[in-house]
Amino acid sequence: MTNVNWDQVKTDMRAAIGAGNFKNWIEPLSLVGASEGVAHLAAPNPFVGDYVGKTYGDQIIYHLNRQGLAVQRLAFEIEGKPNTTVNGAAKPTVRKPTNTLADAQPDQRFTFDSFVVGKPNELAHAASKRVAEGGPVTFNPLFLYGGVGLGKTHLMHAIAHELGQRRPDLNVLYVSADQFIYRFISALRDRKMMDFKQHFRSVDVLMVDDIQFLEGKESTQEEFFHTYNALADQGKQMIISADRAPGEIRDLSERIKSRLQCGLVVDLHPTDYELRLGILHAKQEMFVNVYPGVEIVTGVLEFLAHRISSNVRVLEGALNRLYALASLVGRTVTVEMAQDCLSDILRASDRKLTIEEIQRKVSEHYDIRLSDMLGPKRTRTLARPRQVAMWLCKRLTSRSLPEIGRKFGKRDHTTIMHGVRKIDELRQSDSQISDDLELLRRALEH
Ligand code: ADP
Ligand code: MG
């Protein structure tokens, strides 16, 4: 049994995913125990276990790690049936060769094949590919940094996979900085420092993920520094990630910072629309097998790519949730359904684009007066731009139809709905309108 603070994990999860999701998915779970890197959670039924594993697995692991429980996988047990387990985020252990030091198996989902490359991440991808060739070390370390959910961990696992295939002779070790800390502290406590040193210094490739977690942990930093130097002296490749550039990690000793800066430092930029759409298409292909029979109408992926702008993990979680719910209720996924069942995510990533901003931009674009757009006149030259503005308000903000109606000169919500439908029709048949919409959307979103 483990004495990790599960209540704290729950509190953190609630803050991360909102009260509604929390109540549905996390509240019913309890932590049964942990062994060999696997946390065992009890769920009321297989569906909850399955869904939580896919949707929140990474987050739960993250928060468990933060509470000092070094696990890499979750397994769900169904209450009342202690022998049934459902693998949630658990992945099949495929390779068990000489080249890993057992601990964290790379996640089978995170390969170069499943990594979608776009402008914001092409450099990080190219550098990772180079390291994964396993040739002579040309830059050390490779330092990857960027905001949460932009693909750092994915790339590190992809490197581990590829090295495993190309250079099975190499010992590759991937750890999160949390695990490094945990292991270090355990080794101190159990008087096993020699084992610890031996373990970390006998690798050929060392990857440490999320190094910012070493902030303020001086004795762990000290040990990390020695490990780092010992490996660097032997010309071993290191791959380090953080959510910031080395210089911006505050409570990290200067000597570590300067070591980290001597290699190749590349950042993953926030995603752009094209990359997000590319990722969604790739994920869709994967989900087809997991949820056979679920259909997604055209426009849904575009909608998600527009509205969920920063974090790929959230984007992926949103698509997963749509699939899971659609397969549960046997429905086709539409934009309306997405708006309903993702309202929490959409609200959180709302860029606070206002209805007023949209109205102003559209009236400038069509060169009409704002007062005319909001006024009662119904001539075509005013009505069309007005409907375009209504459509953009509906699609780019989370305001309801009555709210939008009020801001369009107190119009009724059915008028707004009619306008939105009209534009939906026109954008299929009228290329001028669809060009206008695209142009305006871009202008408003940047
Ligand atoms: P980070 O470590 O930077 O916080 P992760 O590597 O954990 O982010 O990525 C979060 C999720 O988003 C993962 O499921 C990952 O597979 C996915 N992801 C991120 N970037 C891409 C990409 N370019 N192509 C495909 N999936 C991606
Ligand atoms: Mg990560």
Side-chain angles (χ1 to χ4, degrees):
M1 196 38 218
T2 164
N3 57 9
V4 67
N5 190 347
W6 174 242
D7 284 338
Q8 184 58 46
V9 173
K10 288 195 354 187
T11 308
D12 294 341
M13 284 300 294
R14 173 198 273 269
I17 68 177
N21 288 321
F22 174 80
K23 192 157 170 297
N24 289 336
W25 305 110
I26 308 297
E27 180 91 275
L29 304 177
S30 51
L31 180 65
V32 183
S35 62
E36 294 174 8
V38 182
H40 294 266
L41 299 173
N45 60 55
F47 177 72
V48 170
D50 201 34
Y51 182 80
V52 170
K54 292 205 182 87
T55 314
Y56 303 119
D58 291 342
Q59 273 171 284
I60 296 175
I61 291 169
Y62 171 81
H63 288 296
L64 286 169
N65 289 169
R66 299 239 59 179
Q67 291 305 314
L69 188 66
V71 292
Q72 296 93 40
R73 301 200 291 129
L74 301 180
F76 291 91
E77 297 176 1
I78 307 313
E79 279 157 17
K81 291 191 206 159
N83 295 327
T84 343
T85 61
V86 178
N87 286 343
K91 298 101 200 172
T93 308
V94 170
R95 80 204 175 98
K96 187 73 199 87
T98 51
N99 68 326
T100 40
L101 290 167
D103 355 24
Q105 292 290 327
D107 189 318
Q108 297 300 314
R109 294 169 306 174
F110 297 166
T111 60
F112 282 117
D113 279 347
S114 66
F115 190 82
V116 181
V117 185
K119 270 238 155 44
N121 60 23
E122 61 184 347
L123 258 174
H125 173 260
S128 302
K129 269 291 218 193
R130 166 60 66 81
V131 170
E133 286 170 7
V137 174
T138 46
F139 38 76
N140 215 2
L142 167 59
F143 189 94
L144 298 171
Y145 75 93
V148 176
L150 296 183
K152 302 180 293 292
T153 300
H154 189 133
L155 282 175
M156 291 172 99
H157 283 251
I159 295 171
H161 273 294
E162 192 139 327
L163 279 174
Q165 276 155 15
R166 287 172 180 253
R167 295 290 308 271
D169 55 311
L170 296 180
N171 284 329
V172 179
L173 178 60
Y174 165 92
V175 285
S176 70
D178 272 340
Q179 288 158 358
F180 187 87
I181 297 166
Y182 177 79
R183 297 253 201 108
F184 174 66
I185 293 171
S186 311
L188 278 180
R189 187 192 57 208
D190 303 339
R191 300 178 193 284
K192 294 209 171 127
M193 271 317 287
M194 284 316 289
D195 291 353
F196 177 90
K197 285 184 198 288
Q198 166 68 19
H199 186 59
F200 279 95
R201 291 176 195 190
S202 63
V203 302
D204 297 304
V205 178
L206 176 65
M207 307 193 198
V208 183
D209 203 354
D210 287 320
I211 195 95
Q212 74 275 3
F213 292 146
L214 292 188
E215 253 188 340
K217 306 227 164 34
E218 275 158 37
S219 51
T220 315
Q221 283 185 23
E222 180 82 20
E223 185 55 37
F224 175 75
F225 182 72
H226 293 311
T227 305
Y228 189 93
N229 286 342
L231 290 171
D233 285 349
Q234 301 173 56
K236 307 295 191 190
Q237 179 75 56
M238 251 95 53
I239 302 146
I240 311 284
S241 84
D243 64 354
R244 286 157 265 173
E248 288 163 19
I249 308 177
R250 268 190 303 128
D251 290 322
L252 190 65
S253 77
E254 287 304 324
R255 53 187 194 167
I256 295 184
K257 281 188 206 177
S258 65
R259 284 288 186 292
L260 296 178
Q261 278 157 340
C262 14
L264 179 65
V265 178
V266 276
D267 61 337
L268 289 120
H269 298 279
T271 57
D272 57 17
Y273 173 75
E274 281 71 25
L275 178 58
R276 292 195 294 274
L277 192 59
I279 291 171
L280 286 168
H281 277 294
K283 302 285 170 195
Q284 188 183 23
E285 278 175 32
M286 285 169 36
F287 282 137
V288 166
N289 302 317
V290 186
Y291 300 106
V294 171
E295 263 189 68
I296 291 205
V297 301
T298 17
V300 172
L301 299 188
E302 287 78 1
F303 171 77
L304 296 180
H306 282 158
R307 292 287 304 278
I308 303 175
S309 61
S310 62
N311 183 333
V312 181
R313 187 173 301 130
V314 175
L315 191 66
E316 218 175 77
L319 189 64
N320 195 2
R321 195 194 292 179
L322 289 179
Y323 267 99
L325 288 182
S327 83
L328 194 65
V329 296
R331 260 174 45 192
T332 298
V333 179
T334 60
V335 173
E336 283 66 32
M337 174 182 174
Q339 278 175 322
D340 278 354
C341 88
L342 300 175
S343 57
D344 57 328
I345 295 178
L346 297 174
R347 222 176 305 119
S349 29
D350 220 344
R351 256 174 305 251
K352 301 286 172 285
L353 188 61
T354 62
I355 292 179
E356 287 80 2
E357 255 175 282
I358 294 174
Q359 291 169 334
R360 202 170 335 112
K361 199 77 185 178
V362 175
S363 56
E364 277 167 23
H365 178 83
Y366 289 105
D367 201 16
I368 60 174
R369 275 203 297 265
L370 189 56
S371 57
D372 281 340
M373 167 175 294
L374 306 184
K377 282 191 226 138
R378 290 208 244 162
T379 53
R380 169 69 68 92
T381 47
L382 297 178
R384 201 58 92 222
R386 186 181 293 139
Q387 288 173 331
V388 164
M390 290 171 180
W391 187 91
L392 288 165
C393 288
K394 183 67 192 136
R395 291 289 181 252
L396 302 183
T397 75
S398 50
R399 300 280 155 260
S400 66
L401 291 173
E403 280 175 300
I404 298 172
R406 243 171 279 134
K407 302 239 174 170
F408 276 83
K410 299 208 174 76
R411 283 176 162 80
D412 190 71
H413 76 275
T414 53
T415 311
I416 308 299
M417 193 157 65
H418 172 77
V420 171
R421 291 218 178 115
K422 186 76 205 166
I423 298 299
D424 267 333
E425 265 170 48
L426 286 175
R427 61 195 268 263
Q428 311 294 336
S429 55
D430 184 335
S431 63
Q432 181 61 52
I433 290 272
S434 73
D435 288 352
D436 285 353
L437 292 174
E438 190 56 20
L439 203 84
L440 284 162
R441 186 185 61 72
R442 276 171 195 271
L444 285 162
E445 289 194 326
H446 289 288

